């Protein structure tokens, strides 16, 4: 290697430089191209994919109804789970220790149990508690229902997914709150805001920058998680295609139909997430996330 | 509500505050009269920030008492005993004091204007219009009227601190508490903030200023309070700083301070 010195080259201008050869990048590019070609070949030349069948069922009424159920479940569990998650996160940071312990225990338990196990558990709640009632603890009851009437596949799915989701959201929101410096809360309180106002108006909006990206991922895993509800006979997207292929045995094309719709919704969610991130990232400089060469 | 109209605006009586076994405030007493500017000086860790944070009730005190215009801060008499005030009442007391932090603490998700109007609207119950008018008047005073729609992140440190001062003034506080308002600033930005504080002092605002700007303290303050290890070691009219009556500790502090500053080539704070 030769060092370029001032004396040797008086009129150097780096704008005239040419890129260095990067053989590893070329190799990587070639490998990617081959893999892409193989995948394209497989997708177009394998008859077992039965693309005409895929096309036939893509907009099938039952499939679309299942899709709507999956999306509805996702949105409902996400909204309820986020609201509960915010409460749990503030509870975990509360000054009153028993509240802190209770919230931490809740998060530990519901984050630790696989969602599939939870769904089955809630669906079979009637075995443990034959009747559900409202009343004074250890005192008189005002109203009471048979658990089997209350716990339908829908309520079991909603409860299971919401509780599972809230535990994850609690951790995400807690991290977001901690990312906002305590000085911001102090400044808000110093101006005469109450603790609640300081939290809602000052801390939470600034925590959103940290909260949104993982929440987007949660939304996506929750959507995929709704496929679990097919085990408790809830007619979600997966259950809808299963009902079809249980009769026609066209398993692969129908699973492709399900994949297609899951991917469509996830892609839409990702776009939404990007827009939200930009909105809450205002006033912040951001890196592109690309690694320097 | 208000006590003796001729009494001190702020009265701190034998206040103690400990973190674990360490006494950050070890029996501090201090009265601040109407229109008086008190400069609090002292080495790092001597309890200056803890003192202003306790006055603002951002930090609880372990013992002693504090009064704002004769009204006990943070507690009320109930059934012959003291008990803490509900959060709302504490918030009411807080907004009668203005606080300026070393790190500005502007709210980054709001514009400059909203930083100044929000507490007026939410806490004082002023209309948006009134709040805006007051905010623009204050921004004019600190020379930043044209930055009303900027976000704090777009301002220099000196500009942010001036906005923070305007924000603290928005609710017409009885007293301003400034905790090292220029310590986080680049040297060339210090003067613009000091100018704003100087104007406030000239307008008769009652203030406690924690500062390392000794020359500035001598210029605007009526009285200095020297703290060390959680105690007020000595206090007196600023004219007396480094005069005959000063303790060895203060003398050592001041000489170390001016030494440091002249070492780093700062002429500003020569005493
Ligand atoms: N939140 C806290 N927890 C524990 N110790 C603290 C806390 N705040 C202040 N202290 C301690 O109290 C003492 C006084 O601190 P501070 O009031 O910040 O001093 P100063 O502002 O004069 O530099 C220091 O010893 C500091 O370490
Ligand atoms: Mg300090």
């Amino acid at each position: 290697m030769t060092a370029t010195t001032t004396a040797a080259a008086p009129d150097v201008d780096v704008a005239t430089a040419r890129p260095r050869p990067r053989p590893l990048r070329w190799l990587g590019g070639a490998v990617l191209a081959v893999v892409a070609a193989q995948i394209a070949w497989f997708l177009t030349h394998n008859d077992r994919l039965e693309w005409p069948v895929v096309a036939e069922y893509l907009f099938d009424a039952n499939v679309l109804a299942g899709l709507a159920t999956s999306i509805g479940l996702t949105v409902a569990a996400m909204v309820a789970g986020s609201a509960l998650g915010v409460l749990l996160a503030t509870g975990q940071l509360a000054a009153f220790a028993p509240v802190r312990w209770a919230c931490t225990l809740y998060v530990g338990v519901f984050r630790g149990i696989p969602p599939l196990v939870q769904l089955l558990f809630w669906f079979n709640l009637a075995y443990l508690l034959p009747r559900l009632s409202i009343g004074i603890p250890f005192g008189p009851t005002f109203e009471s229902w048979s658990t089997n009437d209350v716990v339908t596949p829908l309520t079991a799915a909603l409860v299971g997914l919401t509780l599972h989701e809230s535990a994850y959201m609690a951790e995400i929101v807690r991290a977001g709150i901690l990312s906002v410096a305590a000085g911001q809360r102090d400044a808000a309180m110093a101006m005469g805001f109450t603790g609640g106002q300081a939290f809602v108006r000052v801390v939470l909006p600034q925590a959103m920058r940290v909260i949104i990206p993982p929440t987007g991922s949660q939304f996506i895993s929750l959507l995929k998680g709704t496929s679990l509800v097919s085990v408790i006979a809830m007619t979600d997207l997966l259950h809808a295609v299963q009902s079809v292929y249980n009769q026609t045995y066209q398993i692969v094309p129908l699973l492709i139909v399900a994949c297609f719709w899951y991917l469509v919704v996830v892609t839409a969610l990702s776009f939404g997430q990007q827009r939200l991130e930009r909105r809450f990232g205002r006033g912040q400089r951001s890196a592109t996330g690309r690694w320097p060469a | 509500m208000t006590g003796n109209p001729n009494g001190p605006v702020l009265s701190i009586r034998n206040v103690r505050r400990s973190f674990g076994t360490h006494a950050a405030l070890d029996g501090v007493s201090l009265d601040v009269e109407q229109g008086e500017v008190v400069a609090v000086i002292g080495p790092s860790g001597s309890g200056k920030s803890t003192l202003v944070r306790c006055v603002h009730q951002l930090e609880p005190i372990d013992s002693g008492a504090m009064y704002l215009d004769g009204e006990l801060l943070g507690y009320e008499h109930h059934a012959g005993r003291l008990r803490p005030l509900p959060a709302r009442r504490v918030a009411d007391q807080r907004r009668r004091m203005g606080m300026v932090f070393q790190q500005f603490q502007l709210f980054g998700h709001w514009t400059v204007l909203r930083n100044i109007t929000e507490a007026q609207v939410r806490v004082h119950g002023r209309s948006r219009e009134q709040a805006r008018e007051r905010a623009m008047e204050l921004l004019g005073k600190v020379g930043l009227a044209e930055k009303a729609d900027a976000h704090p992140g777009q301002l220099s440190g000196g500009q942010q601190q001036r906005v923070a001062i305007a924000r603290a003034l928005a609710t017409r506080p009885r007293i301003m508490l400034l905790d090292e308002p220029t310590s986080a600033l680049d040297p060339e930005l210090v003067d613009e903030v000091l100018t704003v504080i100087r104007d406030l002092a000239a307008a008769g605002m009652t203030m406690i200023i924690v500062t390392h700007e000794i020359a500035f303290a001598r210029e605007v303050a009526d009285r200095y309070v020297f703290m060390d290890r959680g105690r007020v070691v000595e206090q007196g009219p600023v004219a007396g700083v480094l005069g005959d009556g000063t303790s060895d500790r203060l003398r050592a502090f001041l000489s170390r301070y001016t030494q440091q500053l002249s070492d780093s080539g700062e002429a500003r704070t020569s005493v």
Side-chain angles (χ1 to χ4, degrees):
Chain A
M1 237 178 249
T2 53
T4 312
T5 63
T6 6
D11 53 349
V12 161
D13 182 351
V14 296
T16 62
R18 286 192 305 146
R20 291 181 77 87
R22 291 189 176 264
L24 278 178
R25 284 191 181 181
W26 295 339
L27 185 65
V31 170
L32 287 177
V34 170
V35 171
Q38 260 185 329
I39 292 174
W41 180 266
F42 169 77
L43 288 179
T44 49
H45 285 72
N46 191 328
D47 289 340
R48 298 198 175 173
L49 291 171
E50 298 180 81
W51 289 108
V53 180
V54 173
E56 184 190 339
Y57 284 103
L58 199 53
F59 295 100
D60 179 85
N62 288 330
V63 169
L64 291 183
L67 175 65
T69 302
S70 289
I71 293 176
L73 257 183
T74 307
V75 171
M78 194 68 203
V79 169
S82 299
L84 201 52
V86 172
L87 289 181
L88 285 165
T90 52
Q92 280 182 290
L93 298 170
F96 187 51
V99 168
R100 221 161 48 222
W101 299 332
C103 291
T104 307
L105 182 68
Y106 175 104
V107 170
V109 167
F110 285 99
R111 210 166 52 147
I113 301 174
L116 178 58
V117 176
Q118 259 203 69
L119 287 174
L120 292 169
F121 184 85
W122 291 113
F123 192 55
N124 291 296
L125 187 66
Y127 174 76
L128 190 64
L129 289 173
R131 293 194 74 77
L132 296 175
S133 49
I134 293 180
I136 296 167
F138 307 110
T141 52
F142 303 139
E143 190 88 59
S144 150
W145 304 270
S146 153
T147 303
N148 270 328
D149 296 342
V150 179
V151 180
T152 61
L154 176 67
T155 47
L158 271 178
V159 169
L161 292 175
T162 298
L163 296 186
H164 175 75
E165 192 54 32
S166 66
Y168 275 91
M169 286 307 296
E171 286 300 284
I172 291 172
V173 173
R174 192 172 68 93
I177 293 170
L178 292 178
S179 78
V180 180
Q184 288 278 301
R185 185 204 56 208
D186 285 349
M189 306 272 289
M191 291 168 67
F193 287 124
T194 59
Q197 284 175 320
F199 178 71
V200 172
R201 302 198 176 279
V202 173
V203 174
L204 203 51
Q206 298 190 83
M208 290 310 266
R209 201 169 47 84
V210 172
I211 292 174
I212 287 172
T215 301
S217 308
Q218 275 311 115
F219 219 125
I220 289 168
S221 34
L222 185 57
L223 175 75
K224 294 183 296 183
T226 58
S227 64
L228 297 173
V229 303
S230 56
V231 300
I232 54 172
M234 174 110 196
T235 51
D236 72 316
L237 178 56
L238 179 60
H239 195 269
V241 299
Q242 281 174 333
S243 314
V244 177
Y245 71 59
N246 281 341
Q247 283 163 20
T248 67
Y249 299 104
Q250 294 158 319
I251 299 178
V252 168
L254 277 146
L255 287 178
I256 290 176
V257 167
C259 289
F260 172 84
W261 283 119
Y262 281 124
L263 285 175
V264 165
V265 180
V266 166
T267 308
L269 284 174
S270 303
F271 275 115
Q273 179 186 347
Q274 264 180 24
R275 293 196 44 181
L276 272 180
E277 275 179 33
R278 240 175 273 144
R279 190 169 125 59
F280 281 98
R282 270 180 324 195
Q284 237 88 34
R285 279 176 212 153
S286 64
T288 58
R290 288 197 188 97
W291 209 254
Chain B
M1 265 292 277
T2 43
N4 177 5
N6 301 317
V9 173
L10 179 71
S11 182
I12 300 169
R13 306 272 172 82
N14 201 22
V15 162
R16 284 172 206 277
R17 166 67 174 154
S18 299
F19 296 103
T21 56
H22 173 77
L25 295 180
D26 194 7
V28 171
S29 294
L30 179 67
D31 279 358
V32 185
E33 305 294 333
Q34 171 77 47
E36 199 183 17
V37 177
V38 174
V40 178
I41 57 178
S44 168
S46 57
K48 307 180 300 293
S49 295
T50 306
L51 179 67
V52 289
R53 288 175 58 79
C54 284
V55 170
H56 223 111
Q57 306 184 53
L58 295 172
E59 200 85 71
I61 59 175
D62 300 329
S63 68
M66 305 177 296
Y67 299 86
L68 180 67
D69 285 323
E71 179 186 330
L72 181 61
L73 286 177
Y75 290 83
E76 65 184 355
H77 291 279
H78 180 80
R81 296 195 58 180
L82 283 177
R83 67 174 187 187
L85 284 175
R88 283 253 162 225
R89 295 273 309 282
V90 174
D92 279 344
Q93 291 183 337
R94 283 202 187 103
R95 72 185 153 89
R96 283 154 51 199
M97 301 179 271
M99 178 98 169
V100 175
F101 298 85
Q102 187 174 347
Q103 303 290 348
F104 329 136
Q105 302 296 354
L106 292 180
F107 305 132
H109 59 310
W110 288 339
T111 62
V112 163
L113 186 71
R114 186 132 186 234
N115 264 276
I116 305 176
T117 55
E118 198 67 13
Q120 299 184 65
V121 174
R122 304 273 168 207
V123 182
H124 253 207
R126 294 202 184 121
S127 73
R128 286 246 166 238
E129 269 319 297
Q130 287 171 317
R132 195 193 147 79
E133 222 164 84
R134 171 98 180 119
M136 291 313 293
E137 174 199 327
L138 288 166
L139 279 176
K141 274 195 187 146
V142 300
L144 289 170
E146 80 282 7
K147 297 290 186 190
D149 296 320
H151 274 265
Q154 299 164 315
L155 304 183
S156 73
Q159 290 172 328
Q160 290 191 48
Q161 193 61 299
R162 282 145 72 196
V163 171
I165 293 173
R167 180 177 72 175
L169 289 169
T171 50
R172 298 187 193 279
R174 287 284 289 141
I175 183 170
M176 288 280 281
L177 310 169
L178 300 93
D179 188 3
E180 302 199 30
T182 58
S183 297
L185 298 176
D186 290 339
E188 76 271 21
L189 301 177
V190 168
D191 278 331
E192 61 187 73
V193 173
L194 293 186
T195 302
V196 168
I197 299 172
R198 198 178 282 126
D199 291 348
L200 275 179
M205 175 59 78
T206 310
M207 288 191 273
I208 294 180
I209 310 176
V210 178
T211 186
H212 289 308
E213 304 278 340
I214 306 294
F216 175 74
R218 287 195 94 187
E219 178 199 334
V220 302
D222 302 300
R223 194 149 55 95
Y224 73 90
V225 167
F226 175 61
M227 289 185 66
D228 195 15
R229 291 178 223 162
R231 292 167 176 272
V232 173
V233 175
E234 73 170 81
Q235 51 178 313
V238 278
V241 177
L242 274 196
D244 293 337
T246 55
S247 64
D248 292 345
R249 256 149 139 193
L250 174 55
R251 216 190 292 267
F253 169 73
L254 288 173
S255 70
R256 195 163 4 104
Y257 225 80
T258 44
Q259 184 67 41
Q260 264 173 19
L261 292 170
S262 54
D263 283 354
S264 62
E266 297 271 337
R268 198 176 64 233
T269 318
S270 59
V271 177

